[in-house]
């Protein structure tokens, strides 16, 4: 039997540490001396060493208790605890990288711009949340649109913040946040009339078809190919035709091009989204906005050829 001081010395720990784990019930004593002092056996040393090893992994005491108390499930409990801690560390590291990039952004800008950038950044959490952007697009979508269709649309429209952002990406995301949280002009829903007229059911068909068209067109944008008619444009026109319960004819394409050109555009949103999605020095990643521009240009060329 060892005293608390002897156990601490053998484990390379302090008496205070041994007493703390004993008081928490993690390190049971074997007996008490005639004077009431705690006595520990060799098993206590093994347990104390295990506890300290687990603590070096930054596991919380409740998880350590579960590992010690359930020997049969100790491996599974430890694995789950480690996975949870790794996820937590990943979030912490991402937050630190965003703070670092934000500090660089403010440090490196002209002094006259610092107040404005600080105001933009103060509205962001670290790492930033995409919830405000998702709320903006939910208001943009027609009411009663099917849940799955809404989720698919949001996945395409809301850029995810990069884990290791460049200062330019931090600035772009901050501006997206400011844009999407600002009141709409005149309180008007920003969804274009060409989409709103399709209704909730038609919009679901439209966005599903547009997603297919964008996927077909994206490789052309990555390769910097000029807009041209083809499979991607056919899918694009078919999406609108299905939403309006119409047929893909030359007249329909002409009318569609006219209606699309008359609508207001969210160009700034998509330009900022491309910066968020594109690593510095890389070729701009396609966004729904840039892909839609490419397909509209292809539609104009197709109509010109038909004329």
């Amino acid at each position: 039997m060892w005293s608390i001081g002897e156990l601490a010395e053998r484990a390379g720990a302090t008496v205070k540490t041994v007493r703390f784990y004993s008081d928490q019930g993690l390190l049971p004593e074997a007996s008490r001396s005639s004077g009431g002092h705690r006595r520990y056996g060799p098993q206590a040393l093994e347990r104390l060493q295990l506890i300290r090893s687990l603590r070096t992994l930054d596991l919380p005491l409740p998880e350590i208790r579960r590992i010690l108390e359930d020997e049969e499930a100790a491996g599974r409990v430890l694995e789950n605890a480690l996975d949870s801690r790794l996820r937590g560390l990943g979030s912490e590291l991402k937050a630190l990288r965003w703070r670092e990039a934000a500090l660089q952004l403010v440090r490196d800008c002209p002094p006259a711009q610092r107040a404005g950038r600080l105001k933009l950044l103060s509205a962001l959490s670290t790492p930033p949340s995409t919830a405000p952007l998702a709320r903006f697009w939910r208001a943009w979508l027609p009411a009663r649109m099917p849940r799955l269709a809404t989720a698919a649309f949001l996945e395409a429209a809301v850029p995810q913040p990069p884990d290791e952002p460049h200062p330019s990406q931090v600035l772009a995301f901050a501006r997206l946040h400011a844009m999407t949280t600002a009141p709409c002009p005149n309180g008007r829903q920003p969804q274009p009339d060409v989409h709103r007229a399709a209704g909730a059911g038609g919009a679901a068909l439209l966005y599903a078809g547009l997603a297919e068209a964008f996927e077909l067109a994206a490789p052309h944008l990555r390769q910097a190919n000029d807009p041209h008619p083809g499979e991607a444009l056919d899918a694009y026109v078919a999406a609108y035709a299905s939403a309006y319960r119409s047929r893909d004819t030359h007249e329909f394409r002409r009318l569609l091009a006219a209606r699309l050109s008359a609508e207001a555009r969210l160009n700034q949103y998509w330009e900022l989204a491309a910066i968020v999605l594109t690593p510095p020095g890389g070729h701009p990643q396609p966004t729904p906005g840039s892909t839609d521009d490419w397909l509209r240009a292809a539609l104009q060329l197709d109509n010109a050829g038909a004329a």
Side-chain angles (χ1 to χ4, degrees), residues 229-254:
E231 184 181 11
L233 177 60
D234 292 343
Y236 183 70
V237 175
Y240 282 98
S242 64
Y244 285 101
R245 295 174 174 79
S246 182
R247 292 185 304 108
D248 180 1
T249 63
H250 291 308
E251 179 64 13
F252 179 81
R253 293 193 175 205
R254 186 184 65 79

Side-chain angles (χ1 to χ4, degrees), residues 168-222:
S168 62
Q169 293 173 298
V170 173
L171 180 60
F173 197 93
R175 286 175 172 164
L176 278 178
H177 181 276
M179 176 190 300
T180 54
T181 54
C184 292
N186 303 320
R188 184 175 181 272
Q189 185 186 24
Q191 188 190 30
D193 291 334
V194 69
H195 290 186
R196 190 183 302 113
L205 291 173
L206 173 62
Y207 297 138
L210 289 179
E212 179 184 354
F214 291 169
E215 185 175 351
L216 292 171
H220 296 292
L221 275 81
R222 293 191 181 97

Side-chain angles (χ1 to χ4, degrees), residues 80-95:
N80 291 339
L82 292 174
D83 286 342
S84 176
R85 188 59 192 137
L86 284 171
R87 287 192 296 271
L89 283 174
S91 297
E92 293 172 20
L93 288 171
K94 184 176 180 179

Side-chain angles (χ1 to χ4, degrees), residues 97 124 182 303:
R97 293 186 185 108
L124 289 181
N303 285 337

